[in-house]
Amino acid sequence: MADDRRARTIALKIKRQDGPGQPGYWQEFAVPWHPRMNVISALMEIQKQPVTASGQKVTPVVWECVCLEEVCGSCTMRINGRVRQSCSALVDVIAPGDGPIVLEPMSKFPVVRDLVVDRSRMFEDLKRVKAWINLDGSHELGAGPRQSPESQEQTYPLSRCMTCGCCLEACPQVNPSSDFVGPAAISQVRLFNLHPNGKMHASERLEAVMGEGGVEGCGKAQNCVEVCPKEIPLVDSIASVGRDATKHMLLGWLLK
Amino acid sequence: MAASKSLVRSESGKVRRVIVVGGGLAGLMTVIKLCEAGVPVDLFSLVPVKRSHSVCAQGGINASVNTKGEGDSPQVHLEETVYGGDFLANQPPVKAMCDAAPSIVFMLDRMGVPFNRTPEGLLDFRRFGGTLFHRTAFAGATTGQQLLYALDEQVRRWETVDVEDDRGERVAGEKMVRKLEWWEMIGLVTDDEGVCRGIVAQDLKNMSIVAFPGDAVCLATGGCGIVFGRSTNSVINTGTAASAAYQHGACYANGEFIQVHPTAIPGADKLRLISESVRGEGGRVWVPRDPKEQRAGREVPESARDYFLEEKYPGYGNLVPRDIASRELFKKCFHEHRGVYNRESQRNENEVYLDVTHLPREILQKKLAGVLEIYEKFVGEDPFVNPMRVFPAVHYSMGGLWVDFDRAANGSLVMGSPRNQATSIPGLYACGEADYQYHGANRLGANSLLSCLWAGMVTGPAIAAYRKNVARSAWDMPSSLFEKAEKRERKAFEAILALDGAENPYALHDELAHTMLVDCTIERDNATLDKVLAKIEEIAERSRRVGVTDTAVGKMNQGAQYVRHLRNMIVLARVIALGARNRDESRGAHFKPQFTQRDDANWLRTTMAFHKAGANGENDAVRFVRAVDYTLLGQRVEVKDEVDTTLVRPRPRKYETAGAASTAAKG
Ligand SMILES: Cc1cc2nc3c(=O)[nH]c(=O)nc-3n(C[C@H](O)[C@H](O)[C@H](O)COP(=O)(O)OP(=O)(O)OC[C@H]3O[C@@H](n4cnc5c(N)ncnc54)[C@H](O)[C@@H]3O)c2cc1C
Ligand code: SF4
């Protein structure tokens, strides 16, 4: 039994692309199975033996990874059609029949090479919505504001967003012909507007998501919550920011 | 700089920037302090800074706020840190760090870190290793992620702030922070006097190589755990930048002190950490009393369990420092063959139980969810029900680039002194896990996030002072200086692209990592270390005959990049293994079965290593010295390898007794 398992090979079908704007093409690999194998360790095997299933010597597959414990967001890709992190994709779970495991880069961001995409737009969006506390400075100013355990329990899950892009990938409203900012940044607006100090600048953040490409762009498909690996209540966030934005618009108009 | 000149604009009208390499906690804190001092920064990182290794930290950050009224204080924190580090750390920087810790945690709180709270709405604290106090602030069990995000947000804000010139007018198009993410620092630029004037970096998206001037350079490039292959570290932690600086002439200190964390999950690509906070919240380590015990962990009755840490160390129990816990686990598994018995493999595996099944589910969910999730995701077992199976893994480097400090009369640091965090190359600074400064021979849990932030707070002002006083700005140097450095690095990279030998670089790294992991971690035997050293030389030699796995030009090329990292890792491996071979004593994480005692008479000193490049195709070597001297802003500074132990007198470590780690603490 043990020997049988050692002889197993896992089939991988990987979409490759040599550089930005170049055409994609597929390659297949057969990698020896090992215990506790995940998609990352399968890709690492290809680095050591960069040969396709048909025996052709190729350059190893290029992909991005850092922490390998699903907390940095780097290694996000489409695996068997579903967007997720590749480190937590355990081979025995996703390919009980030994594959093929299909790997593709995310489709909503420009490809850099093979499975690596450029998600800079997400970081730019964080700038746009001012996802920060307006700190007076890092000098000593004593303790921060008191907060109840309940408020921490509300904000902590929102604060775990690792800018991985799964929610944008899954969202039908995020596409080349729309400039919808996407669920992640909107949820950050909610996070900072909940903080006792962050609240003081809530209107700036709301205004940032009020216009073109803002919270109104959500089509309520609810795909984002399905794919968010951190189980962030994105639909709630969008609804709550949407309500606040409407309120702000009305009040802002009344006050004028 | 001459007073008549602009501090902001160079003679040719460019904005004078300094360079920070690394966007983990240490680098980002340095950037914030520099911006607050009005110094524009170029920030380089291998990966988008939000994805830096600091996100991995789970358990928390230490600060003696004494919320629980236990009598904790920064003085106790200092004593316990120094004691935990087996007295190898210079004490003034540690004192300054511990004194500042409460204000650092308060600052993080103001930045919006969602720390766990007490019912009164104050910061909650939990226990960690090497102390009896509740000293560790935490945000669930993803504290590092939360801290990194808070700093990342502040730095993003600085990315939107305009540079102001000497008269306070905005400089169009120039922001305080310019981020260069997916850029790798590959070399330093130094002038004829050996002063650091900038870096050479490579754009990882297209592999172009560019030299950047900087009035000072700070390396906040993290640790080097990947030298040991699979570890708790992120895959980018190859120590490549520190190694490059060392090869450029910077001193590397205490390289042999590598921390092995007692509790990680064995894995094929990574050994994922199960944080010490699990034991801080009451998790217990045990093995079955009967080595042939066949029942699943949860079915083994209390009387048949051996809680070996609690038994041997009644004072600190499961929270003895990591070096001690790791050695005990190793002994149980390797020497006594008492690891958990596995029915499938029919042998005692190198695993012990880490058990939280007796703790209330609600507490676990509020305080440890992040860690327990990792276990569940990657092992596929529910840790709420089944005791987790864990084994030690390489975790942290106490050693790193040697940095200086300026001691104040009160035993703390002279803040704003350009000597603080200065490496032996003038103009080059280092902070975070990349430096060697705060943890001696063994780091206490939750002290690293603190030391990264503190070192950043010290480095920012140190660089600001250096920049103000440096005789000539890098931005006024002739362009030939940078062109030369650029050419040097281009040539080196082209040479890598031309490598067509038979050795696969990834497989060669596996070999290096294997020998380092098996023979140069928890127990170090001199005869075995000689073999390790011979193996390193063999690998260094073979590394010249690797074949680059990717020859792509003008686009992302991880294969060529990896060859560079591999070479730099081999250089660090030599420093680590030779340091271990030389140090004939046992201290903290460095343990020799032949010399089980600490030897203060001969070895209460910092290991200081310099690089000796091999001539004519020979391998490189290491030159160990007893003092570093360097010239900073025209002044010659000499620092001996003696450790400053003026604040807490060295005494033997004894964790059997409660309260032994500090005189101020009551057991
Ligand atoms: C699993 C795990 C859990 C931990 N938990 C805790 C904890 O609970 N409490 C605690 O106190 N400590 C903990 N630690 C230790 C702590 O996380 C690290 O020591 C700390 O985060 C290091 O931070 P840093 O800023 O020095 O470096 P890092 O966060 O490693 O950042 C290094 C930066 O340098 C960049 N870089 C590196 N080389 C180059 C180059 N050549 N060119 C350009 N950029 C480069 C990287 O891109 C990155 O941005 C833990 C460590 C691990 C592995
Ligand atoms: S909200 Fe979830 S899916 Fe979207 S970027 Fe953040 S972590 Fe990823």
PDB file of all heavy atoms in Angstrom, chain B residues 441-455:
ATOM      1  N   ALA B 441      21.456  35.216  22.630  1.00  0.00           N
ATOM      2  CA  ALA B 441      21.609  33.847  22.146  1.00  0.00           C
ATOM      3  C   ALA B 441      20.277  33.144  21.960  1.00  0.00           C
ATOM      4  O   ALA B 441      20.228  32.008  21.494  1.00  0.00           O
ATOM      5  CB  ALA B 441      22.478  33.061  23.129  1.00  0.00           C
ATOM      6  N   ASN B 442      19.210  33.788  22.340  1.00  0.00           N
ATOM      7  CA  ASN B 442      17.884  33.194  22.187  1.00  0.00           C
ATOM      8  C   ASN B 442      16.830  34.284  22.349  1.00  0.00           C
ATOM      9  O   ASN B 442      16.829  35.011  23.338  1.00  0.00           O
ATOM     10  CB  ASN B 442      17.664  32.104  23.246  1.00  0.00           C
ATOM     11  CG  ASN B 442      16.229  31.641  23.294  1.00  0.00           C
ATOM     12  OD1 ASN B 442      15.716  31.126  22.318  1.00  0.00           O
ATOM     13  ND2 ASN B 442      15.561  31.861  24.417  1.00  0.00           N
ATOM     14  N   ARG B 443      15.934  34.375  21.381  1.00  0.00           N
ATOM     15  CA  ARG B 443      14.898  35.409  21.446  1.00  0.00           C
ATOM     16  C   ARG B 443      13.685  34.905  22.202  1.00  0.00           C
ATOM     17  O   ARG B 443      13.254  33.770  21.993  1.00  0.00           O
ATOM     18  CB  ARG B 443      14.484  35.797  20.029  1.00  0.00           C
ATOM     19  CG  ARG B 443      13.212  36.624  19.983  1.00  0.00           C
ATOM     20  CD  ARG B 443      12.920  37.149  18.602  1.00  0.00           C
ATOM     21  NE  ARG B 443      12.353  36.169  17.699  1.00  0.00           N
ATOM     22  CZ  ARG B 443      11.056  35.844  17.652  1.00  0.00           C
ATOM     23  NH1 ARG B 443      10.199  36.375  18.509  1.00  0.00           N
ATOM     24  NH2 ARG B 443      10.619  34.973  16.774  1.00  0.00           N
ATOM     25  N   LEU B 444      13.131  35.743  23.051  1.00  0.00           N
ATOM     26  CA  LEU B 444      11.864  35.392  23.699  1.00  0.00           C
ATOM     27  C   LEU B 444      10.717  35.642  22.721  1.00  0.00           C
ATOM     28  O   LEU B 444      10.762  36.566  21.914  1.00  0.00           O
ATOM     29  CB  LEU B 444      11.629  36.254  24.945  1.00  0.00           C
ATOM     30  CG  LEU B 444      12.503  35.996  26.157  1.00  0.00           C
ATOM     31  CD1 LEU B 444      11.930  36.743  27.366  1.00  0.00           C
ATOM     32  CD2 LEU B 444      12.650  34.517  26.482  1.00  0.00           C
ATOM     33  N   GLY B 445       9.699  34.817  22.830  1.00  0.00           N
ATOM     34  CA  GLY B 445       8.529  34.967  21.970  1.00  0.00           C
ATOM     35  C   GLY B 445       7.931  36.357  22.111  1.00  0.00           C
ATOM     36  O   GLY B 445       7.940  36.938  23.201  1.00  0.00           O
ATOM     37  N   ALA B 446       7.421  36.890  21.007  1.00  0.00           N
ATOM     38  CA  ALA B 446       6.742  38.188  20.971  1.00  0.00           C
ATOM     39  C   ALA B 446       7.677  39.380  21.191  1.00  0.00           C
ATOM     40  O   ALA B 446       7.236  40.510  21.306  1.00  0.00           O
ATOM     41  CB  ALA B 446       5.569  38.245  21.951  1.00  0.00           C
ATOM     42  N   ASN B 447       8.978  39.098  21.247  1.00  0.00           N
ATOM     43  CA  ASN B 447       9.943  40.195  21.334  1.00  0.00           C
ATOM     44  C   ASN B 447      10.432  40.639  19.966  1.00  0.00           C
ATOM     45  O   ASN B 447      11.073  41.672  19.852  1.00  0.00           O
ATOM     46  CB  ASN B 447      11.163  39.768  22.163  1.00  0.00           C
ATOM     47  CG  ASN B 447      11.087  40.285  23.599  1.00  0.00           C
ATOM     48  OD1 ASN B 447      10.200  41.059  23.944  1.00  0.00           O
ATOM     49  ND2 ASN B 447      12.020  39.869  24.424  1.00  0.00           N
ATOM     50  N   SER B 448      10.149  39.850  18.932  1.00  0.00           N
ATOM     51  CA  SER B 448      10.697  40.213  17.631  1.00  0.00           C
ATOM     52  C   SER B 448       9.922  41.346  16.986  1.00  0.00           C
ATOM     53  O   SER B 448      10.508  42.307  16.489  1.00  0.00           O
ATOM     54  CB  SER B 448      10.709  39.014  16.697  1.00  0.00           C
ATOM     55  OG  SER B 448      11.072  39.444  15.411  1.00  0.00           O
ATOM     56  N   LEU B 449       8.605  41.245  17.004  1.00  0.00           N
ATOM     57  CA  LEU B 449       7.804  42.338  16.440  1.00  0.00           C
ATOM     58  C   LEU B 449       8.190  43.635  17.138  1.00  0.00           C
ATOM     59  O   LEU B 449       8.351  44.679  16.510  1.00  0.00           O
ATOM     60  CB  LEU B 449       6.314  42.043  16.617  1.00  0.00           C
ATOM     61  CG  LEU B 449       5.794  40.786  15.912  1.00  0.00           C
ATOM     62  CD1 LEU B 449       4.295  40.617  16.157  1.00  0.00           C
ATOM     63  CD2 LEU B 449       6.084  40.830  14.430  1.00  0.00           C
ATOM     64  N   LEU B 450       8.393  43.529  18.450  1.00  0.00           N
ATOM     65  CA  LEU B 450       8.788  44.702  19.220  1.00  0.00           C
ATOM     66  C   LEU B 450      10.142  45.219  18.758  1.00  0.00           C
ATOM     67  O   LEU B 450      10.316  46.418  18.529  1.00  0.00           O
ATOM     68  CB  LEU B 450       8.825  44.341  20.717  1.00  0.00           C
ATOM     69  CG  LEU B 450       9.342  45.441  21.638  1.00  0.00           C
ATOM     70  CD1 LEU B 450       8.436  46.669  21.584  1.00  0.00           C
ATOM     71  CD2 LEU B 450       9.475  44.931  23.080  1.00  0.00           C
ATOM     72  N   SER B 451      11.110  44.305  18.613  1.00  0.00           N
ATOM     73  CA  SER B 451      12.450  44.781  18.252  1.00  0.00           C
ATOM     74  C   SER B 451      12.459  45.360  16.839  1.00  0.00           C
ATOM     75  O   SER B 451      13.203  46.291  16.552  1.00  0.00           O
ATOM     76  CB  SER B 451      13.486  43.669  18.392  1.00  0.00           C
ATOM     77  OG  SER B 451      13.246  42.622  17.483  1.00  0.00           O
ATOM     78  N   CYS B 452      11.621  44.812  15.953  1.00  0.00           N
ATOM     79  CA  CYS B 452      11.552  45.366  14.592  1.00  0.00           C
ATOM     80  C   CYS B 452      11.046  46.807  14.633  1.00  0.00           C
ATOM     81  O   CYS B 452      11.619  47.706  14.024  1.00  0.00           O
ATOM     82  CB  CYS B 452      10.601  44.541  13.730  1.00  0.00           C
ATOM     83  SG  CYS B 452      11.264  42.942  13.260  1.00  0.00           S
ATOM     84  N   LEU B 453       9.963  47.015  15.379  1.00  0.00           N
ATOM     85  CA  LEU B 453       9.374  48.352  15.442  1.00  0.00           C
ATOM     86  C   LEU B 453      10.314  49.325  16.145  1.00  0.00           C
ATOM     87  O   LEU B 453      10.534  50.445  15.688  1.00  0.00           O
ATOM     88  CB  LEU B 453       8.029  48.301  16.171  1.00  0.00           C
ATOM     89  CG  LEU B 453       6.931  47.610  15.372  1.00  0.00           C
ATOM     90  CD1 LEU B 453       5.787  47.191  16.272  1.00  0.00           C
ATOM     91  CD2 LEU B 453       6.428  48.532  14.269  1.00  0.00           C
ATOM     92  N   TRP B 454      10.868  48.859  17.256  1.00  0.00           N
ATOM     93  CA  TRP B 454      11.766  49.737  18.007  1.00  0.00           C
ATOM     94  C   TRP B 454      12.982  50.101  17.159  1.00  0.00           C
ATOM     95  O   TRP B 454      13.361  51.268  17.063  1.00  0.00           O
ATOM     96  CB  TRP B 454      12.181  49.077  19.325  1.00  0.00           C
ATOM     97  CG  TRP B 454      13.286  49.822  19.987  1.00  0.00           C
ATOM     98  CD1 TRP B 454      14.554  49.391  20.219  1.00  0.00           C
ATOM     99  CD2 TRP B 454      13.235  51.169  20.489  1.00  0.00           C
ATOM    100  NE1 TRP B 454      15.286  50.373  20.813  1.00  0.00           N
ATOM    101  CE2 TRP B 454      14.515  51.464  20.993  1.00  0.00           C
ATOM    102  CE3 TRP B 454      12.243  52.156  20.535  1.00  0.00           C
ATOM    103  CZ2 TRP B 454      14.825  52.712  21.549  1.00  0.00           C
ATOM    104  CZ3 TRP B 454      12.557  53.398  21.089  1.00  0.00           C
ATOM    105  CH2 TRP B 454      13.823  53.664  21.593  1.00  0.00           C
ATOM    106  N   ALA B 455      13.586  49.096  16.519  1.00  0.00           N
ATOM    107  CA  ALA B 455      14.775  49.369  15.717  1.00  0.00           C
ATOM    108  C   ALA B 455      14.437  50.346  14.592  1.00  0.00           C
ATOM    109  O   ALA B 455      15.236  51.217  14.248  1.00  0.00           O
ATOM    110  CB  ALA B 455      15.344  48.073  15.147  1.00  0.00           C
TER     111      ALA B 455
END
